[in-house]
Amino acid sequence: MSRAALLVLADGRFPAGGHAHSGGAEAAVRAGRVTGAASLEDFCRGRLHTTGLVAAAVAAAAALGADPGELDAAADARTPSPTLRRAARRLGRQLLRAGRVAWPSAELDALAERFPKGAHQPVVLGVAARAAGLGPADAAYCAAYESVSGPVSATVRLLGLDPFEATAVSARLAPEMDTVVSRAVGTARRVAGEGADALPAASAPLLETGAEAHAGWAVRLFAT
Amino acid sequence: MHLGHSLSHGGPEVVGADARRPDGVRRALRIGLGGPVGSGKTATVAALCRLLRDEVSLAVVTNDIYTREDAEFLLREAVLPPERITAVETGACPHTAIRDDISANLEAVEDLEDEVGPLDVILVESGGDNLTATFSKGLVDAQIFVIDVAGGDDIPRKGGPGVTTADLLVVNKTDLAPHVGSDLARMAADARAQRDGLPVVFQSLRSEEGARDVAAWVRERLAVWTA
């Protein structure tokens, strides 16, 4: 296993479409819930322990070889907002494109054939991690980190937030990412015996409703 | 000109530069249009659609920065049926979506070919950006850089990747030159010096000729692509 492959997959510059999404930060900024580094940290903590945890668990289960179709349905069931479901599949399709070129593999090809318009991004992330020779914890780390780094970099653009302060938010949340990853991998390991119902179903209602409202705006910087 | 990224497992297309679609049919020629804000990219796209739509099967992808205005302008002007126009959202960073992370744009062009194809040409319009914004070769086969005389007649002299390397440089709004004190002869000489023989078109969309020269260039490109 190559440790460096994890850095390649987790790199914010990995060309898989993430740059166009704020992870709900744009809606939260407009609503006045994120106004600076402190409220950004609260927002990211909430996201990490809800959708971040679910994404990490799904990614870990996919990296362990669970059935992608079952995981995709499980991710759907855990994403009430149709806008976010569409975005997750679009991002999955984009990640699949990048992943298939970076780490050619029969499993990624099979995923593309089965889901030509994309599977939920964490499912693809887990299969891509397998293709890269990475394990379930690595896939979960990518998902957990993304759940924080997306809103952080978007908020730098949205608020003109000091980039050092913003990066410090991610750094302060790192120990909690470790906790979330270990919980996610623990539940993912139960999927083989108990099915996808073993996966966590934590959700953040404001992220879901905010995404629906955001999708209706005439002027916005980010796709979600 | 298959670039050798063949996929052994026969899945859907993943590499944008591949000249053939998974079913073996040649994909559409993709032409990028970039340039600074307000230089006339969308107006040029609209004019090209009007000039070319009766002879070639066309579609357009727009990349707006924070709205769908460019797509909506094209829809309002009815230059093409609505199903042939797709807007990509770029997350406040238009050059990222056309150069560093082209995945959303590749999906847009592939979906257009799937849904309204077969297509001969897809015009991919960048959101207005700066003089360094260029398209990835993984996304487009040729690119047009659009500047205008009112943006300053020193832009060709200053160069930059768009002005220097674009396959076609368009200097737009020539009708405004006398009003803004721009020296067209100087712009032409500077562009020649910067571009090492690559073509330059001066156009005014208010004139009768409109985008005729650019349309002729697109036809030449298409002839080479389908040869």
Coordinates of all heavy atoms in Angstrom, one line a residue, chain A residues 13-21 90-91 93-98 100-101 104-106 109 112-113 116-117 157 214 218-224, chain B residues 5 7-16 65-69 89-93 96-97 100-108 110-111 114-115:
Chain A
R13 N -6.8 19.6 -4.7 CA -6.7 19.9 -6.1 C -6.9 18.7 -7.0 O -6.8 18.7 -8.2 CB -5.3 20.5 -6.4 CG -5.1 21.9 -6.0 CD -3.7 22.4 -6.0 NE -3.0 21.6 -5.0 CZ -1.7 21.9 -4.6 NH1 -1.1 22.9 -5.1 NH2 -1.1 21.2 -3.7
F14 N -7.3 17.6 -6.4 CA -7.6 16.4 -7.2 C -8.8 16.8 -8.0 O -9.8 17.3 -7.5 CB -8.0 15.2 -6.2 CG -8.1 13.9 -6.9 CD1 -6.9 13.2 -7.2 CD2 -9.3 13.3 -7.3 CE1 -7.0 12.0 -7.9 CE2 -9.4 12.1 -7.9 CZ -8.2 11.4 -8.2
P15 N -8.7 16.6 -9.3 CA -9.8 17.2 -10.2 C -11.1 16.4 -10.3 O -11.4 15.7 -11.3 CB -9.1 17.2 -11.6 CG -8.1 16.1 -11.5 CD -7.7 15.9 -10.1
A16 N -11.8 16.5 -9.2 CA -13.1 15.8 -9.2 C -14.3 16.7 -8.9 O -15.3 16.2 -8.3 CB -13.0 14.7 -8.1
G17 N -14.2 17.9 -9.2 CA -15.4 18.8 -9.1 C -15.7 19.5 -7.8 O -16.6 20.3 -7.7
G18 N -15.0 19.1 -6.8 CA -15.3 19.7 -5.4 C -15.2 21.2 -5.3 O -15.9 21.8 -4.5
H19 N -14.4 21.8 -6.2 CA -14.2 23.2 -6.1 C -15.5 24.1 -6.3 O -15.6 25.2 -5.9 CB -13.2 23.7 -7.1 CG -13.6 23.5 -8.5 ND1 -14.2 24.6 -9.2 CD2 -13.6 22.5 -9.4 CE1 -14.5 24.2 -10.4 NE2 -14.2 22.9 -10.5
A20 N -16.5 23.4 -7.0 CA -17.7 24.2 -7.3 C -18.7 24.1 -6.2 O -19.8 24.6 -6.3 CB -18.3 23.7 -8.6
H21 N -18.4 23.4 -5.1 CA -19.4 23.2 -4.0 C -18.9 23.8 -2.7 O -17.7 23.7 -2.4 CB -19.6 21.7 -3.9 CG -20.3 21.1 -5.1 ND1 -21.6 20.9 -5.2 CD2 -19.7 20.7 -6.3 CE1 -21.9 20.3 -6.4 NE2 -20.7 20.3 -7.1
R90 N -23.5 13.6 -9.0 CA -22.7 14.3 -10.0 C -21.2 14.3 -9.5 O -20.3 14.0 -10.3 CB -23.2 15.8 -10.1 CG -22.5 16.6 -11.1 CD -23.2 17.9 -11.4 NE -24.5 17.6 -12.0 CZ -25.6 18.4 -11.9 NH1 -25.5 19.6 -11.4 NH2 -26.7 18.0 -12.5
L91 N -21.0 14.5 -8.2 CA -19.6 14.5 -7.7 C -19.0 13.1 -7.8 O -17.8 13.0 -8.0 CB -19.6 15.1 -6.3 CG -19.7 16.6 -6.2 CD1 -20.0 17.0 -4.7 CD2 -18.5 17.3 -6.7
R93 N -19.8 11.0 -10.1 CA -19.4 10.7 -11.5 C -18.1 11.4 -11.9 O -17.3 10.9 -12.6 CB -20.6 11.3 -12.4 CG -20.4 11.0 -13.9 CD -21.6 11.6 -14.6 NE -21.4 11.6 -16.0 CZ -22.2 12.2 -16.9 NH1 -23.2 13.0 -16.4 NH2 -21.9 12.2 -18.2
Q94 N -17.9 12.6 -11.3 CA -16.7 13.4 -11.6 C -15.5 12.7 -11.0 O -14.4 12.6 -11.6 CB -16.9 14.8 -11.1 CG -17.9 15.6 -11.9 CD -18.1 17.0 -11.4 OE1 -19.1 17.3 -10.8 NE2 -17.2 17.9 -11.6
L95 N -15.7 12.2 -9.7 CA -14.6 11.5 -9.1 C -14.3 10.2 -9.8 O -13.1 9.8 -9.9 CB -15.0 11.2 -7.6 CG -14.0 10.3 -6.8 CD1 -12.6 11.0 -6.7 CD2 -14.5 10.1 -5.4
L96 N -15.3 9.5 -10.3 CA -15.1 8.3 -11.1 C -14.2 8.5 -12.3 O -13.3 7.8 -12.6 CB -16.4 7.7 -11.5 CG -16.5 6.3 -12.0 CD1 -15.8 5.3 -11.0 CD2 -18.0 5.9 -12.1
R97 N -14.5 9.6 -13.0 CA -13.7 10.0 -14.2 C -12.2 10.2 -13.8 O -11.3 9.6 -14.4 CB -14.2 11.2 -14.8 CG -13.5 11.7 -16.0 CD -14.0 13.1 -16.4 NE -15.4 13.2 -16.7 CZ -15.9 12.9 -17.9 NH1 -15.1 12.5 -18.9 NH2 -17.2 12.9 -18.1
A98 N -12.0 11.0 -12.8 CA -10.6 11.2 -12.4 C -10.0 9.9 -11.8 O -8.8 9.6 -12.2 CB -10.6 12.3 -11.3
R100 N -10.6 6.8 -12.5 CA -10.3 5.7 -13.5 C -9.1 6.0 -14.2 O -8.4 5.1 -14.7 CB -11.5 5.6 -14.5 CG -12.7 5.0 -13.8 CD -13.9 5.0 -14.8 NE -13.7 3.9 -15.8 CZ -14.5 3.9 -16.9 NH1 -15.3 4.9 -17.2 NH2 -14.3 2.9 -17.8
V101 N -8.7 7.3 -14.4 CA -7.5 7.6 -15.1 C -6.3 7.5 -14.1 O -5.3 7.0 -14.5 CB -7.6 9.0 -15.7 CG1 -6.3 9.4 -16.5 CG2 -8.7 9.2 -16.7
P104 N -6.4 3.0 -12.9 CA -7.3 2.1 -13.7 C -7.5 0.8 -13.0 O -6.6 0.2 -12.5 CB -6.4 1.9 -14.9 CG -5.4 3.0 -15.0 CD -5.2 3.4 -13.5
S105 N -8.8 0.4 -12.9 CA -9.2 -0.8 -12.3 C -10.5 -1.3 -12.8 O -11.4 -0.5 -13.2 CB -9.3 -0.6 -10.8 OG -10.6 -0.3 -10.4
A106 N -10.6 -2.7 -12.8 CA -11.9 -3.3 -13.3 C -13.0 -2.9 -12.4 O -14.2 -2.7 -12.9 CB -11.7 -4.8 -13.3
D109 N -14.3 0.5 -13.4 CA -14.9 0.4 -14.7 C -16.3 -0.2 -14.5 O -17.3 0.3 -15.1 CB -14.1 -0.5 -15.7 CG -12.8 0.1 -16.1 OD1 -12.7 1.4 -15.9 OD2 -12.0 -0.6 -16.7
A112 N -18.6 2.4 -13.2 CA -19.1 3.4 -14.3 C -20.1 2.8 -15.2 O -21.0 3.5 -15.6 CB -17.8 3.8 -15.1
E113 N -20.0 1.5 -15.4 CA -21.0 0.8 -16.3 C -22.4 0.7 -15.6 O -23.4 0.9 -16.2 CB -20.5 -0.5 -16.7 CG -19.9 -0.5 -18.1 CD -19.4 -1.8 -18.6 OE1 -20.2 -2.8 -18.7 OE2 -18.2 -1.9 -18.7
P116 N -23.9 5.0 -14.9 CA -23.3 5.9 -16.0 C -23.5 7.4 -15.6 O -22.7 8.2 -16.0 CB -24.1 5.5 -17.2 CG -25.2 4.7 -16.8 CD -24.9 4.1 -15.5
K117 N -24.5 7.7 -14.8 CA -24.7 9.1 -14.4 C -24.2 9.3 -13.0 O -24.5 10.4 -12.4 CB -26.2 9.5 -14.5 CG -26.7 9.4 -15.9 CD -26.1 10.4 -16.9 CE -26.7 10.3 -18.3 NZ -25.9 11.1 -19.3
R157 N -13.5 32.2 0.3 CA -14.0 33.0 -0.8 C -15.2 33.8 -0.5 O -15.4 35.0 -1.0 CB -14.3 32.1 -2.0 CG -13.1 31.4 -2.6 CD -13.5 30.7 -3.9 NE -12.6 29.6 -4.1 CZ -12.8 28.6 -5.0 NH1 -14.0 28.6 -5.7 NH2 -12.0 27.6 -5.2
H214 N -31.0 27.2 -1.3 CA -29.9 27.6 -2.1 C -30.0 27.3 -3.6 O -29.7 28.1 -4.5 CB -28.6 27.0 -1.5 CG -27.3 27.3 -2.2 ND1 -26.8 26.6 -3.3 CD2 -26.5 28.3 -2.0 CE1 -25.7 27.2 -3.6 NE2 -25.4 28.2 -2.9
A218 N -31.2 32.9 -7.6 CA -30.8 33.3 -9.0 C -29.3 33.6 -9.1 O -28.7 33.4 -10.1 CB -31.6 34.6 -9.4
V219 N -28.7 34.1 -8.0 CA -27.3 34.4 -8.0 C -26.6 33.7 -6.9 O -26.9 33.8 -5.7 CB -27.1 35.9 -7.8 CG1 -25.6 36.3 -7.7 CG2 -27.7 36.7 -9.0
R220 N -25.6 32.8 -7.2 CA -24.8 32.2 -6.2 C -23.5 31.8 -6.8 O -23.3 31.7 -8.0 CB -25.6 30.9 -5.7 CG -25.9 30.0 -6.8 CD -26.5 28.6 -6.4 NE -26.6 27.7 -7.5 CZ -27.8 27.4 -8.1 NH1 -28.9 27.9 -7.6 NH2 -27.8 26.6 -9.1
L221 N -22.5 31.7 -5.9 CA -21.1 31.4 -6.3 C -20.9 29.9 -6.4 O -20.1 29.5 -7.3 CB -20.1 31.9 -5.3 CG -19.9 33.4 -5.3 CD1 -18.9 33.8 -4.2 CD2 -19.4 33.9 -6.6
F222 N -21.6 29.1 -5.6 CA -21.3 27.7 -5.6 C -22.6 26.9 -6.1 O -23.7 27.3 -5.9 CB -20.9 27.2 -4.2 CG -19.6 27.8 -3.8 CD1 -19.5 29.0 -3.1 CD2 -18.4 27.1 -4.2 CE1 -18.2 29.5 -2.8 CE2 -17.2 27.7 -3.8 CZ -17.1 28.9 -3.1
A223 N -22.3 25.7 -6.6 CA -23.4 24.8 -7.0 C -24.3 24.3 -5.9 O -25.5 24.2 -6.0 CB -22.9 23.6 -7.8
T224 N -23.6 24.0 -4.7 CA -24.4 23.7 -3.5 C -23.7 24.4 -2.3 O -22.6 24.7 -2.4 CB -24.4 22.2 -3.2 OG1 -23.1 21.7 -3.0 CG2 -25.1 21.4 -4.3
Chain B
H5 N -5.1 6.9 -24.7 CA -5.6 6.6 -23.4 C -6.7 5.5 -23.5 O -7.8 5.7 -23.1 CB -6.3 7.8 -22.7 CG -5.4 9.0 -22.6 ND1 -4.5 9.1 -21.6 CD2 -5.3 10.1 -23.3 CE1 -3.8 10.2 -21.7 NE2 -4.3 10.8 -22.8
L7 N -9.1 2.4 -22.9 CA -9.5 1.7 -21.7 C -9.8 0.2 -22.0 O -10.6 -0.1 -22.9 CB -10.8 2.3 -21.2 CG -10.6 3.7 -20.6 CD1 -11.8 4.5 -20.6 CD2 -10.0 3.6 -19.2
S8 N -9.1 -0.6 -21.3 CA -9.2 -2.0 -21.7 C -10.5 -2.7 -21.3 O -10.9 -3.6 -21.9 CB -8.1 -2.8 -21.0 OG -8.1 -2.5 -19.6
H9 N -11.3 -2.1 -20.4 CA -12.4 -2.7 -19.9 C -13.7 -2.3 -20.6 O -14.8 -2.8 -20.3 CB -12.6 -2.5 -18.4 CG -11.4 -2.9 -17.7 ND1 -11.0 -4.2 -17.5 CD2 -10.4 -2.2 -17.1 CE1 -9.8 -4.3 -16.9 NE2 -9.5 -3.1 -16.6
G10 N -13.6 -1.4 -21.6 CA -14.8 -1.0 -22.4 C -15.9 -0.3 -21.7 O -17.0 -0.3 -22.1
G11 N -15.6 0.5 -20.6 CA -16.5 1.3 -19.9 C -16.8 2.6 -20.7 O -16.3 2.7 -21.8
P12 N -17.6 3.4 -20.1 CA -17.8 4.7 -20.7 C -16.5 5.5 -20.9 O -15.6 5.3 -20.2 CB -18.8 5.4 -19.8 CG -19.2 4.4 -18.8 CD -18.3 3.3 -18.8
E13 N -16.6 6.5 -21.7 CA -15.5 7.4 -22.0 C -15.0 8.1 -20.7 O -15.8 8.5 -19.9 CB -15.9 8.5 -23.0 CG -14.8 9.4 -23.4 CD -15.3 10.4 -24.5 OE1 -16.4 10.7 -24.5 OE2 -14.4 10.7 -25.3
V14 N -13.8 8.1 -20.4 CA -13.3 8.8 -19.3 C -12.3 9.9 -19.6 O -12.1 10.8 -18.9 CB -12.6 7.9 -18.2 CG1 -13.7 7.0 -17.6 CG2 -11.5 7.1 -18.8
V15 N -11.6 9.8 -20.8 CA -10.6 10.8 -21.1 C -11.2 11.7 -22.1 O -11.6 11.4 -23.2 CB -9.4 10.1 -21.6 CG1 -8.3 11.1 -22.0 CG2 -8.8 9.2 -20.5
G16 N -11.1 13.0 -21.7 CA -11.8 14.0 -22.6 C -11.2 14.2 -23.9 O -11.8 14.5 -24.9
I65 N -20.0 32.6 -13.8 CA -19.3 32.7 -12.5 C -20.3 32.6 -11.4 O -20.1 31.9 -10.4 CB -18.5 34.0 -12.4 CG1 -17.6 34.2 -13.6 CG2 -17.6 34.0 -11.2 CD1 -17.0 35.6 -13.7
Y66 N -21.4 33.3 -11.4 CA -22.3 33.2 -10.3 C -23.8 33.3 -10.7 O -24.6 33.4 -9.8 CB -22.0 34.3 -9.2 CG -21.8 35.7 -9.8 CD1 -22.9 36.5 -10.2 CD2 -20.5 36.2 -10.0 CE1 -22.7 37.7 -10.7 CE2 -20.4 37.5 -10.6 CZ -21.5 38.2 -10.9 OH -21.3 39.5 -11.5
T67 N -24.1 33.2 -11.9 CA -25.5 33.1 -12.3 C -25.6 32.2 -13.5 O -24.6 31.6 -14.0 CB -26.0 34.5 -12.8 OG1 -25.3 34.9 -14.0 CG2 -25.8 35.5 -11.8
R68 N -26.8 32.1 -14.1 CA -26.9 31.4 -15.4 C -27.2 32.4 -16.5 O -27.8 32.1 -17.5 CB -28.1 30.4 -15.3 CG -27.9 29.3 -14.3 CD -29.2 28.5 -14.1 NE -29.9 28.3 -15.3 CZ -29.7 27.2 -16.1 NH1 -28.8 26.3 -15.8 NH2 -30.3 27.1 -17.3
E69 N -26.7 33.6 -16.3 CA -27.1 34.7 -17.2 C -26.7 34.4 -18.7 O -27.4 34.8 -19.6 CB -26.5 36.0 -16.8 CG -27.5 36.7 -15.9 CD -27.1 38.1 -15.5 OE1 -26.6 38.8 -16.4 OE2 -27.3 38.5 -14.4
E89 N -21.9 25.2 -13.5 CA -21.7 26.1 -12.3 C -20.2 25.9 -11.9 O -19.7 24.8 -11.7 CB -22.6 25.8 -11.2 CG -24.0 26.2 -11.5 CD -25.0 26.0 -10.4 OE1 -25.3 24.8 -10.1 OE2 -25.3 27.0 -9.7
T90 N -19.5 27.0 -11.7 CA -18.1 26.9 -11.6 C -17.5 27.2 -10.2 O -16.3 27.2 -10.0 CB -17.4 27.9 -12.6 OG1 -17.9 29.2 -12.3 CG2 -17.7 27.5 -14.0
G91 N -18.4 27.5 -9.2 CA -17.8 27.7 -7.9 C -16.9 28.9 -7.8 O -15.8 28.8 -7.2
A92 N -17.2 30.0 -8.3 CA -16.5 31.3 -8.1 C -15.1 31.3 -8.8 O -14.3 32.1 -8.6 CB -16.3 31.6 -6.7
C93 N -14.9 30.3 -9.7 CA -13.6 30.2 -10.2 C -13.6 29.6 -11.6 O -13.3 28.4 -11.9 CB -12.8 29.2 -9.3 SG -11.1 29.7 -9.1
T96 N -10.8 27.5 -13.2 CA -10.6 26.1 -12.6 C -11.4 25.1 -13.5 O -11.0 24.1 -13.8 CB -11.0 26.1 -11.2 OG1 -10.3 27.0 -10.4 CG2 -10.8 24.7 -10.6
A97 N -12.7 25.5 -13.8 CA -13.6 24.6 -14.5 C -13.2 24.4 -15.9 O -13.6 23.4 -16.5 CB -15.0 25.1 -14.4
D100 N -8.2 23.4 -14.7 CA -7.6 22.6 -13.7 C -8.4 21.4 -13.3 O -7.9 20.3 -13.0 CB -7.3 23.4 -12.4 CG -6.5 24.6 -12.7 OD1 -5.4 24.5 -13.2 OD2 -7.0 25.8 -12.5
D101 N -9.8 21.6 -13.4 CA -10.7 20.5 -13.0 C -11.8 20.5 -14.0 O -12.8 21.2 -13.8 CB -11.2 20.7 -11.6 CG -12.1 19.5 -11.2 OD1 -12.5 18.7 -12.1 OD2 -12.4 19.4 -10.0
I102 N -11.6 19.8 -15.1 CA -12.6 20.0 -16.3 C -13.7 19.0 -16.2 O -14.5 18.9 -17.1 CB -11.8 19.8 -17.6 CG1 -11.1 18.4 -17.6 CG2 -10.8 20.9 -17.8 CD1 -10.4 18.1 -18.9
S103 N -13.8 18.3 -15.1 CA -14.8 17.1 -15.0 C -16.2 17.6 -15.3 O -17.0 16.9 -16.0 CB -14.7 16.4 -13.7 OG -14.7 17.2 -12.6
A104 N -16.7 18.7 -14.7 CA -18.1 19.1 -14.9 C -18.3 19.5 -16.3 O -19.4 19.2 -16.9 CB -18.4 20.3 -14.0
N105 N -17.3 20.1 -17.0 CA -17.5 20.5 -18.4 C -17.5 19.3 -19.3 O -18.3 19.2 -20.3 CB -16.4 21.5 -18.8 CG -16.8 22.9 -18.6 OD1 -17.8 23.4 -19.2 ND2 -16.2 23.6 -17.7
L106 N -16.7 18.3 -19.0 CA -16.7 17.1 -19.8 C -18.0 16.4 -19.7 O -18.5 15.9 -20.7 CB -15.5 16.2 -19.3 CG -14.1 16.6 -19.8 CD1 -13.1 15.6 -19.2 CD2 -14.0 16.5 -21.3
E107 N -18.6 16.4 -18.5 CA -19.9 15.7 -18.4 C -20.9 16.5 -19.2 O -21.8 15.9 -19.8 CB -20.3 15.8 -16.9 CG -20.2 14.4 -16.3 CD -19.8 14.4 -14.9 OE1 -20.4 15.2 -14.1 OE2 -18.8 13.7 -14.6
A108 N -20.8 17.8 -19.2 CA -21.8 18.6 -19.9 C -21.7 18.3 -21.4 O -22.7 18.1 -22.1 CB -21.6 20.1 -19.6
E110 N -20.5 15.6 -22.9 CA -20.9 14.2 -23.1 C -22.4 14.0 -23.0 O -23.0 13.3 -23.8 CB -20.2 13.3 -22.2 CG -18.7 13.1 -22.5 CD -17.9 12.4 -21.5 OE1 -18.5 11.8 -20.6 OE2 -16.6 12.4 -21.5
D111 N -23.0 14.7 -22.0 CA -24.4 14.6 -21.9 C -25.2 15.2 -23.1 O -26.2 14.7 -23.6 CB -24.9 15.2 -20.6 CG -24.6 14.4 -19.4 OD1 -24.2 13.2 -19.6 OD2 -24.7 14.9 -18.2
D114 N -25.0 12.7 -25.8 CA -25.9 11.6 -25.6 C -27.4 12.0 -25.9 O -28.1 11.3 -26.4 CB -25.8 11.2 -24.1 CG -24.6 10.4 -23.8 OD1 -23.9 10.0 -24.8 OD2 -24.2 10.2 -22.7
E115 N -27.7 13.3 -25.4 CA -29.1 13.6 -25.4 C -29.6 14.3 -26.7 O -30.8 14.1 -27.1 CB -29.4 14.5 -24.2 CG -29.4 13.7 -22.9 CD -29.0 14.5 -21.6 OE1 -29.2 15.7 -21.6 OE2 -28.5 13.9 -20.7

